Amino acid sequence: MAESAVGYLLQKLADTLLKKAQELQAVSRQIEQMQKELLLIQAYLRDADSKSNKNQSVKVWVKQVRDIAHRIEDVIDTFLVEIEENHPKSSPWYRKICMWLKINKLKLKLSGDLEEITQALKNIYQLRINLEITIRGADNEQIGPVPFRPTKPTDVDDSEVVGLEDDKRNIIKQLLDTNISRQMVLSIVGPGGLGKTTLAQKVFKSAELERHFDCRTWVSISQKFNINDIFRKILYSIEPTMEKQNPPVTDENLQAELQKSLTSKRYLIILDDVWRDSDWEQLKKGLPDPKNASRVIITSRSVDVALVADCNTQPYKLRYLNADESIALLFIKAFQQHIQPKKYPHDLLQVAEKLTKKCGGLPLALVVLGGILSRKERNYTAWNTTEETMDWHDEAGKKCSQVLAMSYEDLPYQLKPCFLYFASFPEDYKISGEHVTRMWMAEGFIPKDGARTIEDRAEKCLEELVQRCLIQVTGKSWNGYCEYCNMHDLLRVLAITKAKEENFFTVFSKEGEDVDQLPAIKPRRAALQFSTLTQDGVYSENTRSLLCFGFGRSSSNDCGFSKLNYSGFSLLRVLTLQSVDMTKFTQRQWPKGLVHLRYLGLRDCRIPKDLLKNFSFYNLETIDLKGSVSEEGIIVLDVLIPTLKHVYGFWNFYLRLQWDHHTNLQTLNYVHIETEIVELACCINLRTLVINFRGIKDNERALQMWQNLKVVLRRTEQLVYFGIGGGMLPFGGTTDLPCHGKIQNLNLEGEWMRYICVPSVEMFPPNLTKLTLQWSKLEEDPMPILEKLLSLRILHLGIDSYLGTKLICSTGGFPNLEKLELSVLADLCHWDIKEGAMPVLRHLIIHNCERLNALPELQKVLTLQELVVNWPSHELRESMQGDEDLHKIHHIPFVRKEK
């Protein structure tokens, strides 16, 4: 515990205390002495950490170390804020003199504070001697490699749990029983960590259910939910056109519209994680009984919920795993691959039996324990040491808690704050892997490694948490890494508990919770989830991160976040606001300068037209404006931010930056750039560039724009992801670009220039992994060209990318394609796959191809694992229902939606 909240902080302070040499010159000797004291104390933290659970005095000592580390951080950061705000700039001479005198006064105050802190550090060091805290080995110090650790995310399916096949068959049999015509509510019940959601997922993907029900929907409920949000998710899932209906469905009409839609269908709805019987009373109001054998599945920890939902249907009580199943699951997670029982290492089997016995057959405990073992050496000594150090109780719940706590204690100290940071996100929140790592970088959590960029190291830290089974990947990016993730409820509780114990994060998560106590608590970091503030002007000057989530709300209902006095959070490094109407903010309320701010997230907000112009950004590295709008319709960023590295925009986001000062830029994701201000020549470190040009309507101008763009991209040698769009697509191939050989992800949205009837293989990068085409309006079959891209793994032919009626995939074509998506190809009627084409295809998605009358002979694609067909034509639907061999041969989990 000590290491996560204190160890990383001491390391960071020791590394950064002397950074501002000019401002701190007068106190440099004090800083050097303090740095030595910090390093000495840090060396003893590991031993203190191991003793703090058993010795109250050691626990108090650890708290003192944490408090003084925070005190150092506050003193230094506050001083730097005051220096920046009072530094002489372009002011009259007499004002410069006043500022100079004030700065000297600040330095004298800092000197006094540091002298007091240094003395306190010496006292703490002496107390360490009295408590007999010694230096422990540094075996857990780094996130160092182990011989068997994969460098890429594992392909083992995290959702796969052994021992559920019989349960799956039993539930499916009940759901398909047409002798029961009434609406049946089948509840899967059991304690947390038993695999209820995993079983429900396996049932949901069943091919038998796909053919039986007209529509199917999955909704996560959890402890806190808004009933209108739930009803909307169900309605828009079964009636997708209603999501874009103008005017939209009102809250008053929502329940009636949902009932009307469901009454005409045989439906299957899964409500995952229903906590209380009162929750079901709300949910059932939107779920009519058409008397056509419609079904509802509930997962819950409470048998009472199951009995209230349907007293005539016996709750399905999930069992614990037996000994053989427990060992199988443990080895799968420990070895990151499937292993046959006869191949279990003999020296590990004996200790594995002891470990699994202590887990009591609880799948989550076994999965997390397997994650711990995956980081250990594969020998008897390492595994036996793990077993001997586990002091578990008899109750299943306590067993699981002990495993989870051990998994946290087993983390390298650099990873502990990364894990605790997940406590800040709401339950069931869709967490972006890219953005959470950007937050870690802003906080200074990422360890140094001269061989790689800090972004790569942050991604590595996230992968470590995934490998240890502490984070669940819910979506992978084009390069196979974590795009979206979440955390199991029990692990989230652990993170919140540890974060509170260590004053790492304070989470306000109850609906209507009063957060006026912020100034009294003085949290280092605060997360406001659905909270309502009762007073204006609330702030906490010691807070380093402030995350406000108006999850599932519109910016017109900002949960009271507009009442915060953001100018009082002067030491923020991370600030995120979601669904907040910032036009309500006063000039005094919003800060003009945040010296330490490195991450600014403003998602789905209403932004004043001059907001970004009023900021003084000193150290900002990441800005996220996805989904936000402004009073003028567009958002313009035209301020000088030399430190800026990552920009995430939206369709209305324009850039007017001084590019010669922005050489640190790595990401420009989805921004519009006016044709007359394209100046990217100095962005030599760009790795992601997704831009859109407006107003290009003819070939000549498109060709000229492409030539101009190639000139300004002449130094972008590191570009890996390139996206471009416009009315007429300004694209003529990447051959002449210096990044031609490095581009792996290419996104082209717009009509091709007329002289390019069908693109040539040479136009595309040789190492292209993912290709997306939309609005291309190609008239000739592009497959004969695209199938020759040897490195291509993901292909998406989007809306109006192809206007022809036939696609043909040749023998030997697409040798490495793993995922193919065809979306809104309105004229496509026929698709043929020759023998030997797409030999490794695993995922096939067909979305709204309304004239496609039949699927190709998918029996030829032996590797196919998933087929998703949304809104098929009548002919295609009939052929799918009649093709029993397709399901029997490949066990493809169809997901079909009616149009």
Side-chain angles (χ1 to χ4, degrees):
M1 289 186 292
E3 290 181 285
S4 65
V6 187
Y8 88 92
L9 179 57
L10 296 184
Q11 179 70 56
K12 185 173 65 173
L13 287 173
D15 290 339
T16 61
L17 276 175
L18 297 177
K19 264 191 175 181
K20 291 280 186 177
Q22 183 177 357
E23 290 85 348
L24 302 177
Q25 187 174 8
V27 292
S28 60
R29 289 185 179 179
Q30 290 173 289
I31 293 291
E32 290 173 0
Q33 180 60 34
M34 186 183 300
Q35 189 181 38
K36 292 178 182 178
E37 298 289 343
L38 286 170
L39 291 173
L40 279 173
I41 291 174
Q42 186 186 21
Y44 293 92
L45 272 175
R46 289 176 187 79
D47 187 58
D49 197 33
S50 66
K51 295 179 178 179
S52 60
N53 289 329
K54 302 174 183 178
N55 190 319
Q56 188 63 32
S57 297
V58 174
K59 184 178 292 188
V60 171
W61 182 83
V62 170
K63 183 180 183 302
Q64 290 176 347
V65 173
R66 180 176 64 234
D67 291 345
I68 201 165
H70 287 162
R71 170 71 173 144
I72 296 169
E73 190 178 33
D74 291 344
V75 166
I76 298 296
D77 286 355
T78 302
F79 174 77
L80 294 179
V81 169
E82 292 171 336
I83 284 288
E84 196 64 53
E85 292 178 348
N86 292 281
H87 206 283
K89 297 181 178 69
S90 55
S91 304
W93 64 269
Y94 54 89
R95 288 189 180 178
K96 288 185 177 181
I97 292 177
C98 291
M99 291 178 182
W100 181 80
L101 292 173
K102 189 171 183 179
I103 288 174
N104 280 333
K105 184 177 179 181
L106 291 171
K107 289 180 179 179
L108 287 174
K109 181 179 182 301
L110 175 64
S111 179
D113 289 340
L114 295 181
E115 185 175 344
E116 179 183 329
I117 291 172
T118 301
Q119 184 57 50
L121 282 170
K122 292 179 179 178
N123 294 338
I124 285 177
Y125 189 73
Q126 181 60 44
L127 181 59
R128 187 276 310 167
I129 297 174
N130 298 338
L131 292 173
E132 298 182 347
I133 299 172
T134 59
I135 296 179
R136 293 184 67 198
D139 57 306
N140 197 31
E141 183 174 354
Q142 299 294 332
I143 311 175
V146 291
F148 52 91
R149 188 177 71 190
T151 57
K152 285 268 188 177
T154 176
D155 288 331
V156 175
D157 185 358
D158 285 340
S159 67
E160 182 159 356
V161 176
V162 298
L164 292 180
E165 289 304 319
D166 289 341
D167 299 306
K168 172 186 170 183
R169 284 191 290 269
N170 291 337
I171 290 176
I172 290 175
K173 184 178 179 180
Q174 283 186 262
L175 297 176
L176 295 177
D177 186 359
T178 54
N179 293 321
I180 303 176
S181 60
R182 67 174 178 84
Q183 178 202 67
M184 178 198 293
V185 182
L186 177 63
S187 299
I188 303 174
V189 297
L194 202 56
K196 301 183 296 295
T197 298
T198 300
L199 175 58
Q201 288 173 338
K202 285 178 170 289
V203 170
F204 183 70
K205 292 181 178 181
S206 166
E208 298 100 306
L209 298 186
E210 184 279 329
R211 296 194 298 273
H212 183 75
F213 292 98
D214 296 325
C215 60
R216 295 180 295 157
T217 300
W218 178 291
V219 184
S220 296
I221 306 301
S222 302
Q223 292 193 62
K224 296 175 290 297
F225 67 91
N226 181 288
I227 190 63
N228 288 329
D229 291 341
I230 299 298
F231 285 167
R232 275 196 172 83
K233 288 178 182 178
I234 299 174
L235 179 62
Y236 292 162
S237 175
I238 60 178
E239 301 286 355
T241 57
M242 297 188 72
E243 187 171 3
K244 298 180 180 179
Q245 179 177 299
N246 192 12
V249 180
T250 63
D251 288 350
E252 292 75 17
N253 299 330
L254 185 58
Q255 181 176 314
E257 289 287 350
L258 178 58
Q259 289 181 335
K260 178 182 176 181
S261 179
L262 289 176
T263 299
S264 62
K265 298 177 176 65
R266 177 189 287 174
Y267 61 81
L268 170 64
I269 295 177
I270 297 186
L271 304 175
D272 185 37
D273 206 11
V274 179
W275 280 74
R276 297 167 291 271
D277 50 12
S278 59
D279 296 342
W280 168 250
E281 295 297 331
Q282 292 187 70
L283 292 163
K284 73 177 183 179
K285 295 177 182 178
L287 307 178
D289 184 2
K291 305 296 183 181
N292 61 0
S294 289
R295 303 289 184 250
V296 178
I297 294 179
I298 288 177
T299 69
S300 180
R301 303 182 188 187
S302 171
V303 176
D304 291 340
V305 172
L307 296 176
V308 169
D310 191 335
C311 61
N312 295 315
T313 302
Q314 189 71 18
Y316 198 92
K317 296 181 180 180
L318 208 55
R319 65 180 178 83
Y320 291 88
L321 299 182
N322 61 36
D324 291 339
E325 293 167 339
S326 296
I327 291 176
L329 181 56
L330 183 70
F331 274 111
I332 286 175
K333 294 306 176 182
F335 281 68
Q336 298 291 302
Q337 61 181 325
H338 297 277
I339 300 178
Q340 296 297 324
K342 60 183 179 181
K343 294 185 179 180
Y344 291 158
H346 181 73
D347 59 329
L348 298 182
L349 185 57
Q350 183 180 0
V351 67
E353 291 173 348
K354 295 180 182 178
L355 287 166
T356 55
K357 186 176 181 180
K358 288 187 174 182
C359 287
L362 194 66
L364 179 62
L366 290 159
V367 166
V368 174
L369 179 58
I372 295 175
L373 295 176
S374 72
R375 320 311 300 160
K376 307 292 185 183
E377 295 290 343
R378 290 177 181 169
N379 57 52
Y380 176 85
T381 301
W383 282 36
N384 192 57
T385 300
T386 301
E387 191 274 330
E388 290 178 345
T389 56
M390 302 179 82
D391 180 21
W392 295 350
H393 303 284
D394 292 334
E395 296 87 344
K398 290 184 178 180
K399 289 178 181 178
C400 186
S401 298
Q402 179 65 29
V403 175
L404 302 187
M406 179 181 180
S407 68
Y408 172 72
E409 301 299 342
D410 190 66
L411 286 172
Y413 79 85
Q414 296 98 330
L415 276 181
K416 288 183 177 179
C418 297
F419 172 79
L420 294 183
Y421 215 80
F422 281 94
S424 64
F425 296 98
E427 190 175 11
D428 293 323
Y429 187 80
K430 189 176 182 180
I431 304 171
S432 165
E434 188 171 30
H435 287 276
V436 74
T437 56
R438 302 290 184 258
M439 294 178 187
W440 295 345
M441 289 159 47
E443 290 276 7
F445 296 161
I446 307 304
K448 289 185 176 182
D449 180 354
R452 291 169 299 176
T453 66
I454 189 172
E455 286 78 11
D456 290 340
R457 299 197 304 272
E459 191 174 67
K460 178 183 172 68
C461 289
L462 180 58
E463 283 303 320
E464 286 277 351
L465 293 177
V466 172
Q467 295 277 343
R468 292 170 179 268
C469 303
L470 297 178
I471 301 299
Q472 299 170 330
V473 177
T474 57
K476 290 186 178 182
S477 63
W478 59 270
N479 57 4
Y481 285 97
C482 173
E483 183 173 15
Y484 293 105
C485 57
N486 61 21
M487 180 181 281
H488 190 281
D489 290 348
L490 295 180
L491 285 163
R492 183 172 173 270
V493 170
L494 172 69
I496 291 175
T497 302
K498 294 291 184 182
K500 184 176 181 181
E501 286 178 1
E502 302 180 18
N503 192 25
F504 182 84
F505 236 120
T506 299
V507 179
F508 296 86
S509 60
K510 296 179 181 178
E511 190 75 31
E513 188 172 8
D514 181 2
V515 298
D516 291 342
Q517 52 188 311
L518 264 176
I521 297 176
K522 296 182 179 181
R524 306 303 292 181
R525 297 167 188 85
L528 279 56
Q529 304 166 3
F530 319 108
S531 300
T532 300
L533 310 178
T534 58
Q535 294 182 9
D536 291 337
V538 175
Y539 70 93
S540 174
E541 60 185 8
N542 300 94
T543 301
R544 294 314 199 275
S545 291
L546 180 64
L547 283 66
C548 302
F549 297 96
F551 184 48
R553 313 292 180 97
S554 65
S555 59
S556 60
N557 181 5
D558 63 14
C559 304
F561 298 151
S562 61
K563 294 182 179 181
L564 287 170
N565 179 14
Y566 295 93
S567 62
F569 293 90
S570 58
L571 302 182
L572 285 179
R573 295 193 185 103
V574 174
L575 173 61
T576 70
L577 300 172
Q578 180 173 310
S579 302
V580 177
D581 187 354
M582 300 175 66
T583 61
K584 298 178 181 179
F585 291 3
T586 64
Q587 287 294 327
R588 182 173 144 302
Q589 182 184 11
W590 190 250
K592 291 186 177 180
L594 289 171
V595 173
H596 300 288
L597 190 67
R598 286 162 172 78
Y599 183 101
L600 177 62
L602 304 176
R603 285 209 165 194
D604 302 315
C605 294
R606 293 191 64 211
I607 299 176
K609 60 181 181 180
D610 295 327
L611 173 69
L612 299 178
K613 290 182 180 179
N614 292 333
F615 260 107
S616 295
F617 295 108
Y618 300 94
N619 293 292
L620 189 67
E621 295 175 351
T622 301
I623 183 168
D624 177 17
L625 296 168
K626 186 176 181 180
S628 291
V629 296
S630 75
E631 297 168 307
E632 292 187 334
I634 64 172
I635 303 171
V636 179
L637 183 62
D638 58 359
V639 293
L640 177 63
I641 316 175
T643 56
L644 198 60
K645 298 172 70 176
H646 307 284
V647 178
Y648 301 90
F650 199 43
W651 62 267
N652 57 349
F653 181 55
Y654 285 82
L655 284 172
R656 292 194 183 108
L657 296 180
Q658 302 178 41
W659 297 107
D660 55 333
H661 290 93
H662 289 87
T663 57
N664 290 315
L665 275 168
Q666 296 182 31
T667 305
L668 291 177
N669 198 336
Y670 204 6
V671 297
H672 286 279
I673 300 181
E674 298 286 4
T675 56
E676 65 272 15
I677 57 169
V678 177
E679 295 291 346
L680 300 175
C682 291
C683 297
I684 58 176
N685 292 306
L686 269 179
R687 294 174 58 87
T688 295
L689 175 62
V690 183
I691 56 178
N692 196 297
F693 294 94
R694 291 188 174 184
I696 303 178
K697 299 180 180 179
D698 58 81
N699 279 346
E700 184 177 348
R701 191 172 181 206
L703 183 59
Q704 183 60 49
M705 276 304 308
W706 178 243
Q707 298 301 326
N708 293 344
L709 187 58
K710 286 199 296 185
V711 171
V712 298
L713 290 175
R714 65 186 183 275
R715 296 181 62 192
T716 54
E717 299 180 5
Q718 305 303 317
L719 201 61
V720 175
Y721 176 19
F722 182 38
I724 185 170
M728 185 69 71
L729 190 69
F731 178 76
T734 61
T735 308
D736 297 334
L737 296 179
C739 53
H740 178 64
K742 290 193 175 181
I743 293 177
Q744 298 178 48
N745 188 352
L746 186 60
N747 186 352
L748 303 174
E749 299 184 10
E751 185 176 355
W752 289 79
M753 291 178 279
R754 291 302 178 203
Y755 74 92
I756 306 177
C757 298
V758 177
S760 64
V761 176
E762 292 73 22
M763 291 178 62
F764 298 105
N767 297 312
L768 192 62
T769 298
K770 179 180 179 181
L771 174 63
T772 301
L773 300 180
Q774 297 194 82
W775 308 104
S776 311
K777 297 186 178 180
L778 299 174
E779 297 177 356
E780 296 184 32
D781 182 359
M783 293 305 195
I785 299 297
L786 302 182
E787 67 185 8
K788 296 176 183 177
L789 298 174
L790 302 183
S791 299
L792 195 65
R793 291 193 296 107
I794 303 171
L795 174 61
H796 178 200
L797 296 182
I799 181 170
D800 284 347
S801 58
Y802 173 51
L803 302 181
T805 60
K806 180 183 291 188
L807 289 175
I808 298 178
C809 298
S810 307
T811 300
F814 296 111
N816 290 296
L817 193 69
E818 298 176 4
K819 180 177 181 180
L820 174 62
E821 182 173 355
L822 306 178
S823 299
V824 199
L825 303 180
D827 297 316
L828 180 63
C829 300
H830 178 75
W831 179 24
D832 187 18
I833 299 179
K834 302 297 184 182
E835 189 81 33
M838 298 186 288
V840 296
L841 187 69
R842 298 168 60 191
H843 307 281
L844 175 59
I845 300 171
I846 303 174
H847 174 81
N848 203 10
C849 295
E850 56 188 21
R851 296 184 63 189
L852 184 63
N853 50 37
L855 292 174
E857 296 182 34
L858 294 177
Q859 290 84 354
K860 298 176 182 178
V861 186
L862 302 178
T863 56
L864 194 61
Q865 296 178 1
E866 179 185 32
L867 172 63
V868 179
V869 182
N870 292 328
W871 308 297
S873 65
H874 175 74
E875 293 81 6
L876 179 55
R877 184 179 68 250
E878 293 296 324
S879 67
M880 287 165 49
Q881 291 178 341
D883 195 349
E884 297 293 335
D885 290 337
L886 186 64
H887 300 285
K888 292 178 181 178
I889 294 174
H890 298 295
H891 306 288
I892 301 171
F894 278 101
V895 179
R896 174 177 57 79
K897 296 182 180 178
E898 300 291 347
K899 193 169 182 179

